[in-house]
């Protein structure tokens, strides 16, 4: 499935980390390979939270490594899975492959070309990977519109605020859509229940990822994979951490939404 992960505003709650959680949970539950195209050249992507300190310098040295380079290598050729994997960072026992954005000028100066390249990679890769996730820049740019229209499903990342809710009312409708509220706090007046009451469009299509200091610390240290594995080693009936329970519910919501006929 081709999945676009997008936020209507740059202030939404933790788009990259929410994408990462859903992809890792999908691997844990289903076992299929996942490809992430980090197409937001202006922000941190999931790879940032999986690369520990020493490896981050390696990432910074490879600015021509990612979506734009893969497009050049595949030009006028059929999609090559091995080439895509070799151009990506690989985690989770070889199941999660993340293509960084590459050179930011590719997106800023050639928006139409960048969108066509991203959509082309996404469509061809969908035949080789269980899911292809594309992390998009916030806001409705021409680039984002083209990729969103080509996706099978759109995950719309929101934060708990009146400003976010007002923007949610202006979001285009997609064939399959799921709203994810990141850094979620139960005591906030904009709780999941209230969000669905205030915006009926969210009913049955809204999941949450709670605020968790330990998870954020793991992100900062580049140790998300180890953190996540500790939680997943618990059996389904043994999970005691509310954070992992909530992420499991978010995964089930994504799975249910994914199965709906558009």
């Amino acid at each position: 499935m081709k999945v676009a992960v997008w936020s209507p505003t740059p202030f939404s709650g933790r788009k990259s980390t929410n994408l990462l959680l859903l992809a890792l949970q999908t691997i844990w539950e289903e076992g299929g390979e996942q490809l992430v195209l980090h197409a937001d050249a202006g922000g941190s992507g999931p790879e940032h939270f999986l690369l520990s300190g020493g490896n981050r310098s390696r990432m910074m040295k490879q600015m021509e490594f990612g979506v734009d380079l893969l497009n050049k290598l595949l030009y006028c050729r059929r999609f090559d899975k091995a080439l895509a994997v070799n151009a990506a960072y690989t985690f989770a026992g070889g199941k999660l492959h993340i293509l960084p954005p590459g050179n930011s000028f590719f997106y800023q100066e050639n928006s139409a070309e960048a969108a066509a390249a991203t959509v082309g990679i996404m469509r061809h890769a969908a035949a080789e990977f269980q899911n292809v996730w594309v992390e998009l820049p916030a806001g409705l740019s021409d680039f984002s519109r083209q990729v969103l229209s080509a996706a099978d499903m759109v995950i719309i990342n929101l934060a708990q605020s009146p400003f976010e809710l007002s923007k949610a009312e202006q979001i285009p409708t997609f064939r399959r859509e799921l709203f994810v509220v990141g850094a979620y706090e139960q005591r906030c007046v904009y709780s999941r229940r209230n969000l669905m009451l205030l915006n009926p469009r969210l009913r049955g299509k809204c999941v949450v990822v709670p605020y968790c200091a330990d998870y954020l610390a793991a992100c900062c240290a580049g140790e998300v994979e180890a953190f996540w594995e500790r939680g997943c080693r618990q059996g389904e009936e043994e999970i005691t951490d509310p954070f992992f329970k909530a992420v499991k519910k978010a995964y089930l919501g994504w799975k249910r939404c994914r199965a709906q006929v558009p």
Side-chain angles (χ1 to χ4, degrees):
M1 174 170 278
K2 305 182 293 295
V3 186
V5 182
W6 171 75
S7 294
T9 76
F11 309 109
S12 297
R14 308 191 185 284
K15 172 163 58 78
S16 296
T17 55
N18 293 343
L19 185 165
L20 181 56
L21 284 172
L22 287 173
L24 286 171
Q25 186 71 22
T26 300
I27 290 168
W28 183 263
E29 301 286 347
E30 304 175 25
E33 282 186 275
Q34 314 290 314
L35 178 67
V36 176
L37 307 183
H38 174 194
D40 181 1
S44 297
E47 70 274 18
H48 286 254
F49 309 114
L50 290 165
L51 291 167
S52 59
N55 287 325
R56 289 191 180 182
S57 61
R58 176 168 62 96
M59 177 175 65
M60 296 306 294
K61 292 176 183 176
Q62 296 175 325
M63 295 303 292
E64 293 187 359
F65 158 62
V67 175
D68 60 333
L69 178 61
L70 182 61
N71 176 56
K72 293 172 186 173
L73 295 174
L74 294 174
Y75 190 69
C76 293
R77 292 176 51 189
R78 65 181 180 82
F79 182 84
D80 188 298
K81 180 181 179 179
L83 194 59
V85 170
N86 288 336
Y89 293 107
T90 298
F91 307 94
K95 295 289 188 179
L96 177 62
H97 310 285
I98 303 178
L99 270 170
N103 195 321
S104 60
F105 292 109
F106 176 65
Y107 302 89
Q108 296 168 3
E109 297 183 352
N110 302 295
S111 177
E113 179 185 338
T118 304
V119 168
I121 293 172
M122 178 174 67
R123 284 176 172 162
H124 287 96
E128 303 287 349
F129 298 90
Q130 182 188 28
N131 295 297
V132 180
W133 312 70
V134 184
E135 182 182 3
L136 293 169
L140 273 176
S141 64
D142 290 340
F143 173 82
S144 292
R145 287 180 188 275
Q146 290 185 59
V147 179
L148 288 167
S149 66
D152 298 318
M153 179 176 177
V154 176
I155 293 178
I156 303 157
N157 201 82
L158 298 174
Q160 289 174 278
S161 76
F163 179 72
E164 288 285 317
L165 189 62
S166 67
K167 289 293 182 182
E169 294 173 355
Q170 302 168 25
I171 295 171
T173 302
F174 303 102
R175 291 175 298 169
R176 286 192 189 95
E177 57 186 20
L178 177 70
F179 292 86
V180 177
V181 182
Y184 181 79
E185 295 190 39
Q186 184 65 43
R187 291 175 295 178
C188 178
V189 66
Y190 292 93
S191 65
R192 178 176 177 270
R193 179 175 179 274
N194 285 342
L195 285 170
M196 291 190 292
L197 286 173
L198 291 167
N199 191 331
R201 180 178 167 187
L202 273 63
R203 293 175 188 170
K205 299 186 291 185
C206 181
V207 300
V208 301
V209 175
Y211 172 82
C212 176
D214 290 341
Y215 178 55
L216 297 183
C219 288
C220 293
E223 297 175 354
V224 169
E225 194 170 355
F227 170 81
W228 187 246
E229 286 177 351
R230 287 198 300 272
C232 286
R233 288 193 192 107
Q234 302 177 77
E236 187 171 344
E237 301 300 324
E238 301 171 331
I239 295 178
T240 56
D241 190 318
F243 175 73
F244 289 108
K245 286 184 176 180
V247 174
K248 172 82 172 184
K249 288 182 180 179
Y251 159 76
L252 292 173
W254 131 252
K255 182 180 179 181
R256 183 173 59 251
C257 190
R258 186 181 68 191
Q260 293 176 353
V261 177

